[in-house]
Every structure is written in structure tokens, then in C-alpha cells.
Amino acid sequence: MGLVPTMGALHEGHLSLIRLAAREADVVAASLFVNPTQFAANEDFGSYPRREADDIGMLEAAGCRLVYCPQLTEIYPPGDSTRVRVGALSEDLEGAIRPQFFEGVASVVTRLFAHLGPDLAVFGEKDYQQLLVIRALTRDLGFPIRILGGPTQRDPDGLAMSSRNAYLGAAERRQAGALPAALQQACKRLAAGEAISDVCGDARSSLLSAGFSSVDYIEARHAETLSPMGTGSATAGVPGRILAAARLGTTRLIDNLPFQRS
Ligand code: PAF
């Protein structure tokens, strides 16, 4: 069984994960659960889009045969106090800005794995740090589950598909393409060997010039550990990942791309 965990409000990005799971597994299952523990009190848990009936129709059409829609108390029974924390990998980047996020994700994914016992599970590369955190918890807790990353699906202007893109107003949606454009430009310069601090600094400036209200981070890291990349020839040929989070009005967008220094 291949599992695709989701919080619903499905789009083509999720459906591509279902199709990937269907190529690798005999039976594809998905979960629909808006997980409260990964939201901070000031975040959008209450307003997160919920359209379960539509989601189930889309899942069925994409080849999913089992949909798990647990109640809150099935995931977090009364009196529950167990949480899963994945050390240093989860404390940087997204974890530094949203300190509750990865503990919430790790806690719910651990329960989904325990309840459903899949052979493999698929997560989108759009949430790249989340994918690495889930790989780490799967290894550390000894789940016999193969974790696959599905490529980010993008709109024609390059914007990574996300349920939260629905929050963007029309003008913001036009500006949002500046995020993937800045990352693509940065990747070219990183591959050419330019200094990481200059490249990331320029990418940050280009986002602010394009109308983004703030940039939480733009960082070029080792692709497997997310540790900072050194300078000079030691980084040549090492797989890297540039990761960014930035805000357009009240909407927070994240994205990432692979690069390799020559
Ligand atoms: O990526 C998501 O949609 C969520 O973080 C996940 C993995 C389903 C856990 O709630």
C-alpha cells in the first residue's frame, strides 16, 4: 500500500503524488486531516480550506482506493500527551520561524503510519525540509516504510502549487511568480560558482522589489542535511538546495530548487 498524507484542499500537486504512488504500489491510500498541532495559535487552522467531498471525488478519479478521514480524537485521543520531535534538522529554516510546525507534522505522520501501516509513503518536494524530517523520523523510529519525494508541480508562471495560493488576491497572484524566478536565477549563479551570500542577498532584494512584504529566509544548503554550504572548491559537485519562504501580504509562500556548484 502506498500512502499520500494530505490536509485536503487538493490540487494537481497532490494528484501527481497519488499517480506516483500508483506507479509504485498495488493500492493507493490517502489521508485527509487538517492537523491542529502543526499550526501556531496565530496561524490559519480555522480558515484552512476544507472540501472533503470534492477531495474524495478527485482522489477516486486519480486512482486512490482508500481515503482515511480521521476524527480529531482518533489521532489525538482524550488525554493524549505524546509528541514526536526530530532534532536539529527540524529546528532550522521553517522550524526556526514556525517552532511548533515540525513537531506537529512528525506527531501526526507517526500516527498515520502506525494506524495505516503503508509500505511506502509519498510527500511533495515543495515542502522539502518536511520531506527530510519525515525521512529522518521513519529511519529513527524503525518504520519499514519507503519514503518517496514527488516533484513540485508548478503553474505556467512557475509558482509552486499550494493550497494556500488560494489566499492570494489577483494582484498578489501576479507578483507571486517572482519567487520561483528569483530561485531559478539564484540557482544559475550558484551553479556558476558565485558567492552564496551575494546570490542569496540579491534574491532577497529582488523579492522585496517585486512586492513581497518580507522574506523569512533564502538559504543555499546541502541537499541531504540542510547544513550550511561552505565556500570554495569543497562545495563543487555537492548536491545543494536553495530554500525560501516569503510573505506576499498575509500569505506566506515557500519554495525550493536543487542546484550543484561546478
Ligand atoms: O504536507 C502536508 O500536507 C502536511 O504537513 C502533512 C504531511 C499531511 C501532515 O499534516
Side-chain angles (χ1 to χ4, degrees):
M1 181 176 75
L3 173 66
V4 181
T6 82
M7 297 206 300
L10 301 182
H11 50 69
E12 180 53 35
H14 297 107
L15 300 181
S16 73
L17 304 181
I18 298 286
R19 290 193 284 268
L20 174 56
R23 288 199 292 278
E24 299 286 329
D26 299 325
V27 177
V28 179
S31 58
L32 296 177
F33 180 69
V34 185
N35 173 39
T37 62
Q38 68 191 70
F39 291 80
N42 63 342
E43 292 183 345
D44 55 343
F45 175 69
S47 56
Y48 198 86
R50 289 164 172 83
R51 346 180 244 267
E52 200 171 283
D54 290 351
D55 288 341
I56 290 172
M58 289 166 76
L59 287 168
E60 191 171 12
C64 176
R65 288 291 160 265
L66 189 152
V67 186
Y68 182 47
C69 309
Q71 296 298 307
L72 182 67
T73 51
E74 288 174 76
I75 298 292
Y76 300 110
D80 159 75
S81 64
T82 301
R83 293 292 176 270
V84 178
R85 193 170 60 79
V86 178
L89 182 61
S90 67
E91 285 160 11
D92 203 2
L93 301 169
E94 279 301 286
I97 306 285
R98 306 178 67 197
Q100 78 301 325
F101 178 65
F102 287 120
E103 185 173 299
V105 168
S107 297
V108 74
V109 168
T110 301
R111 286 157 166 79
L112 294 171
F113 285 178
H115 293 188
L116 298 173
D119 302 293
L120 67 98
V122 187
F123 296 86
E125 286 182 358
K126 201 213 98 196
D127 296 288
Y128 187 76
Q129 189 179 5
Q130 168 175 280
L131 172 63
L132 296 191
V133 164
I134 290 166
R135 275 195 213 287
L137 88 81
T138 305
R139 180 197 62 218
D140 294 349
L141 299 182
F143 282 114
I145 299 173
R146 186 155 63 101
I147 304 298
L148 294 182
T152 302
Q153 301 300 305
R154 297 181 179 279
D155 285 345
D157 67 346
L159 181 65
M161 291 186 184
S162 164
S163 306
R164 288 191 169 104
N165 291 354
Y167 298 154
L168 295 169
E172 291 171 338
R173 177 63 194 82
R174 284 192 293 276
Q175 293 165 312
L179 177 57
L183 292 183
Q184 274 165 22
Q185 172 67 8
C187 281
K188 277 193 203 140
R189 293 179 58 189
L190 289 167
E194 288 194 45
I196 289 174
S197 55
D198 291 351
V199 172
C200 291
D202 289 349
R204 176 181 289 267
S205 304
S206 75
L207 288 180
L208 295 173
S209 307
F212 277 76
S213 29
S214 62
V215 178
D216 286 346
Y217 58 82
I218 296 194
E219 298 273 347
R221 298 291 181 91
H222 281 278
E224 279 158 27
T225 60
L226 296 186
S227 55
M229 280 224 155
T231 52
S233 57
T235 63
V238 174
R241 203 91 189 180
I242 185 163
L243 305 103
R247 290 172 201 266
L248 250 182
T250 54
T251 307
R252 186 168 183 276
L253 300 177
I254 65 170
D255 201 351
N256 67 85
L257 283 177
F259 71 90
Q260 200 160 65
R261 282 162 91 64
S262 48

